[in-house]
């Protein structure tokens, strides 16, 4: 086992003085990879103070120079793509290909951050009144904080700090305590790319370290990704402390299957989106809504799912990895047991074992049908490789069902009908829609636009919305006198 994981404060990787540490385990083998400290109050405050001090220099670094840092960073991330993915797989359990995807989707955001100057352009109107011009700038906020979940330990930190920092802010990251090694590796490469001391800080820990960020007067904005109860707490506490907050939370994503869709392609896509990453994705498909005759395909899904096996990350045959922790697995198994009383279980993965990995948190693909919308398994985000099937007669019924769900992260429709697709995308009350795409996570020139109970805030992650989130608009109204001749005092608010 390596030494305890360091914090990253004021440009130094430094061992914490904390008495509280958590073992970071490989969830397939239970090997102890490191111990993560829960930063002391003094350490968190020191990180914030360093970020605040650095901000006053960093905000004056011209955007093209900030872009060049991100270009160098992107190159290093690409060079070390596989090393990062390996660390990620070890601590998170994802299979290697999926980990590489996790890192890649983060690299794509850094690519956007590398071209920040055009995104920072303000607006201009000449001659808004006679002899008067107006224009606006986007200026950074100060120190921003980020709190990230376990399920994308590379992509989600990279949603946040590259955009915030390229906008001229400094950043304090509090990664998930369950897989904190990947974020440290991201920070090491950021230093190697030339990031000035203090621009990025990492404090490890859990609830207490998050609460320090939420209440500290020098933190201007908070980006959070995680579960619903914590997201609500973060949004309420952060805004109560007069901070700007964006909080991305849990989900229950539906795929609507029309009978005119390509059968085999639809079945393949449902299986991948439901059990990939052991269902531990906020955009996983957890409910398939079969319209009309498409319900006959449920047997194909059962057959296809039964051929997918979880396994360790190093094995290219592993369809997906373990559940992140013992507690998380117990929760998933508990929900499968509840489901057996509420619906028909066609495939039960609760008794799954993997050769040579007796202690892994394995759950096999699990399939329920005859699911009702008032059941616990429908109302709860399971976050495991579990798919629920619901059958309806019409597209309108499917739409009404999806729209009645309190979450609104992602959805998709599989069909060959342009009019069905058009009706669905227009009327569905969900922020990210896939048409024959099962997991429609937008690329970073768009934004990640979850709705309803899946998002608390106004401006979303990455893309133009992130630039708005991480900046303040300054509007200038300007006049230059041609002579010094008095025209008398203007006692009105009218520009003249
Ligand atoms: P989590 O809410 O348990 O943890 C997220 C972060 O909050 C971690 O850094 C954790 O240390 C911190 N935290 C945990 N409990 C806290 C508390 N009581 N007070 C303050 N901070 C606390 O989430 P998780 O289990 O790591 O991640 C899975 C969840 O994240 C799922 O619900 C998933 O849907 C959601 N998620 C959402 C999106 C999205 O974009 N909407 C993306 C990825 C994951």
């Amino acid at each position: 086992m390596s030494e305890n994981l360091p914090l990253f404060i004021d440009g130094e990787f430094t061992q914490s003085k904390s008495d509280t540490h958590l073992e970071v385990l490989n969830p397939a083998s239970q090997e102890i990879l490191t111990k993560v400290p829960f930063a002391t109050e003094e350490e968190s405050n020191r990180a914030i103070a360093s970020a605040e001090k650095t901000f006053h220099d960093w905000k004056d670094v011209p955007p093209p120079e900030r872009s060049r840092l991100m270009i160098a960073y992107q190159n290093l991330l690409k060079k070390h793509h596989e090393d990062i993915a390996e660390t990620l797989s070890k601590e998170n359990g994802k299979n290697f290909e999926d980990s590489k995807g996790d890192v890649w989707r983060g690299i794509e955001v850094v690519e956007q951050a590398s071209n920040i100057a055009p995104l920072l352009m303000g607006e201009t109107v000449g001659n808004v009144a006679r002899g008067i011009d107006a224009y606006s700038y986007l200026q950074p906020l100060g120190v921003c904080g980020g709190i990230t979940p376990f399920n994308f330990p590379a992509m989600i930190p990279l949603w946040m700090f590259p955009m915030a920092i390229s906008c001229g802010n400094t950043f304090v990251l509090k990664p998930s305590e369950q897989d904190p090694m990947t974020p440290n590796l991201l920070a090491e490469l950021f230093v190697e790319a030339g990031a000035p001391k203090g621009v990025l800080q990492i404090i490890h820990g859990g609830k207490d370290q998050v609460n320090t960020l939420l209440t500290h007067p020098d933190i201007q904005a908070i980006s959070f990704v995680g579960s619903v109860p914590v997201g609500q707490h973060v949004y309420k506490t952060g805004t109560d402390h007069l901070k700007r907050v964006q909080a991305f939370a849990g989900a229950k994503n539906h795929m609507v299957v029309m009978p005119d869709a390509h059968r085999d392609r639809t079945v393949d896509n449902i299986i991948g989106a439901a059990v990939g990453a052991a269902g531990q994705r906020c955009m996983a498909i957890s409910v398939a809504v079969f319209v009309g005759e498409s319900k006959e395909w449920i047997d194909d899904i059962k057959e296809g799912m039964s051929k997918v096996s979880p396994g360790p990350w190093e094995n290219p045959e592993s369809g997906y990895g373990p559940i992140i922790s013992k507690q998380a697995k117990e929760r998933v198994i508990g929900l499968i047991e509840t489901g057996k009383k509420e619906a028909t279980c066609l495939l039960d993965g609760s008794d799954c074992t993997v050769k040579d990995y007796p202690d892994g948190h394995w759950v096999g693909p699990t399939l329920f049908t005859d699911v009702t919308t008032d059941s616990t398994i429908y109302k709860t985000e399971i976050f495991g490789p579990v798919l629920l099937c619901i059958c309806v007669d019409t597209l309108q019924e499917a739409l009404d069902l999806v729209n009645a769900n309190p979450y609104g992260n992602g959805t998709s429709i599989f069909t060959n009908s342009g009019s069905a697709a058009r009706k669905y995308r227009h009327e569905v009350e969900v922020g990210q829609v896939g048409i024959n795409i099962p997991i429609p996570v937008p690329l970073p020139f768009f934004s990640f636009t979850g709705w309803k109970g899946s998002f608390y805030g106004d401006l979303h992650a990455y893309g133009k919305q992130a630039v708005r989130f991480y900046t303040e608009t300054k509007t200038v109204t300007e006049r230059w006198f041609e002579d010094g001749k008095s025209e008398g005092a203007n006692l009105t608010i009218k520009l003249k």
Side-chain angles (χ1 to χ4, degrees):
M1 189 192 83
S2 60
E3 61 174 9
N4 295 344
L5 196 71
L7 307 170
F8 182 49
I9 299 178
D10 199 29
E12 303 287 332
F13 287 94
T14 168
Q15 287 294 326
S16 172
K17 297 202 164 38
S18 174
D19 300 332
T20 313
H21 288 77
L22 184 76
E23 288 176 345
V24 179
L25 304 171
N26 176 327
S29 64
Q30 306 312 312
E31 177 198 355
I32 301 171
L33 301 170
T34 187
K35 284 187 186 172
V36 62
F38 281 45
T40 65
E41 187 73 13
E42 187 276 326
E43 288 162 344
S44 297
N45 287 335
R46 197 148 45 83
I48 297 167
S50 163
E52 161 61 20
K53 183 165 165 282
T54 307
F55 171 66
H56 298 282
D57 295 329
W58 181 245
K59 71 179 169 46
D60 289 333
V61 171
E65 275 182 44
R66 296 185 217 140
S67 288
R68 286 192 279 275
L69 168 64
M70 294 300 164
I71 291 168
Y73 188 40
Q74 194 205 19
N75 287 338
L76 278 174
L77 291 170
K78 283 184 185 158
K79 186 172 155 200
H80 294 279
H81 190 168
E82 298 211 340
D83 311 329
I84 306 167
E86 186 174 326
T87 299
L88 198 162
S89 281
K90 282 182 183 156
E91 61 176 351
N92 172 286
K94 274 185 205 191
N95 70 32
F96 194 47
E97 281 309 306
D98 204 23
S99 290
K100 283 198 280 184
D102 186 331
V103 178
W104 181 253
R105 301 247 25 191
I107 289 175
E108 288 177 324
V109 182
V110 180
E111 196 167 284
Q112 281 302 103
S114 304
N115 190 28
I116 199 67
L119 292 169
L120 286 173
M121 281 181 181
E123 296 171 318
T124 311
V125 178
N127 217 36
V128 290
R130 282 190 171 67
I132 299 180
D133 304 314
Y135 49 92
S136 62
Y137 296 107
L138 300 183
Q139 294 195 329
L141 304 175
V143 186
C144 301
I147 301 146
T148 53
F150 80 85
N151 65 332
F152 285 98
M155 177 183 84
I156 294 181
L158 291 172
W159 279 5
M160 297 178 182
F161 74 80
M163 289 303 286
I165 289 173
S166 63
C167 285
N169 303 283
T170 53
F171 203 87
V172 182
L173 177 67
K174 206 303 285 169
S176 171
E177 63 277 37
Q178 300 192 83
D179 43 17
M181 294 162 65
T182 306
N184 267 37
L185 197 48
L186 298 178
E188 280 173 32
L189 293 172
F190 199 42
V191 173
E192 198 179 326
K197 176 177 126 167
V199 165
L200 173 67
Q201 321 264 339
I202 299 186
I203 53 166
H204 290 294
K207 185 179 166 186
D208 292 345
Q209 292 68 23
V210 168
N211 288 337
T212 299
L213 291 180
L214 297 179
T215 54
H216 197 290
D218 287 342
I219 299 275
Q220 307 303 326
I222 293 282
S223 301
F224 168 87
V225 180
S227 61
V228 169
V230 183
Q232 290 181 348
H233 164 72
V234 165
Y235 187 73
K236 286 184 194 160
T237 312
T239 52
D240 204 34
H241 285 78
L242 305 177
K243 299 181 196 314
R244 197 176 279 199
V245 181
Q246 51 175 197
F248 299 83
K252 197 83 179 174
N253 306 309
H254 301 70
M255 181 194 286
V256 171
V257 182
M258 298 299 288
D260 60 20
H262 286 299
R263 182 172 179 152
D264 290 349
R265 281 187 178 270
T266 307
V267 168
D268 290 347
N269 276 277
I270 289 181
I271 295 169
V275 305
Q280 299 173 112
R281 290 177 178 144
C282 66
M283 290 286 279
I285 290 296
S286 42
V287 186
V289 184
F290 296 91
V291 177
E293 297 306 305
S294 69
K295 62 176 175 255
E296 287 168 14
W297 309 354
I298 294 175
D299 284 342
D300 300 9
I301 293 169
K302 178 182 169 185
E303 194 191 328
M305 278 174 79
S306 63
K307 291 183 188 146
V308 181
S309 319
W313 72 270
E314 311 90 311
N315 182 350
E317 302 296 310
S318 301
Y320 58 85
I323 299 290
I324 188 71
S325 67
K326 183 166 178 280
Q327 295 83 337
K329 177 183 167 176
E330 282 167 1
R331 184 181 163 279
V332 172
I333 299 291
L335 283 160
I336 293 175
E337 289 310 311
T338 304
K340 288 179 191 165
K341 296 182 203 120
E342 295 178 327
T344 308
C345 185
L346 296 177
L347 193 63
D348 178 4
S350 56
D351 201 15
C352 176
T353 54
V354 172
K355 191 170 168 290
D356 299 331
Y357 289 86
D359 300 322
H361 309 305
W362 310 111
V363 178
T366 300
L367 182 65
F368 286 102
T369 190
D370 303 324
V371 175
T372 59
T373 54
D374 60 356
S375 59
T376 306
I377 52 169
Y378 180 76
K379 290 196 284 188
T380 313
E381 182 186 39
I382 299 176
F383 230 54
V386 181
L387 179 68
L388 315 182
C389 300
I390 299 182
C391 303
V392 298
D393 292 328
T394 64
L395 174 60
Q396 188 59 53
E397 273 181 73
L399 257 168
D400 292 344
L401 185 149
V402 176
N403 286 345
N405 191 278
Y407 296 111
N409 218 29
T411 187
S412 72
I413 181 167
F414 271 63
T415 182
N416 272 310
S417 157
S419 66
R422 200 268 166 196
K423 179 180 170 66
Y424 192 71
R425 86 165 141 76
H426 185 62
E427 294 182 24
V428 76
E429 292 161 12
V430 173
Q432 302 175 104
V433 182
I435 296 173
N436 300 315
I437 300 282
I439 303 189
V441 176
L443 283 159
F445 22 87
F446 292 92
S447 297
F448 188 93
T449 53
W451 281 14
K452 301 201 296 192
S454 299
F455 178 67
Y456 303 94
D458 308 284
L459 293 165
H460 292 85
Y462 59 78
K464 288 182 194 152
Q465 293 199 28
V467 174
R468 289 281 164 180
F469 182 77
Y470 291 126
T471 59
E472 199 76 87
T473 305
K474 181 180 281 177
T475 311
V476 181
T477 306
E478 179 179 289
R479 157 170 75 190
W480 297 93
F481 297 112
E482 286 183 8
D483 58 47
K485 202 170 82 193
S486 167
E487 289 181 352
N490 176 9
L491 301 178
T492 75
I493 196 174
K494 201 170 164 208
L495 276 180
K496 57 180 181 184

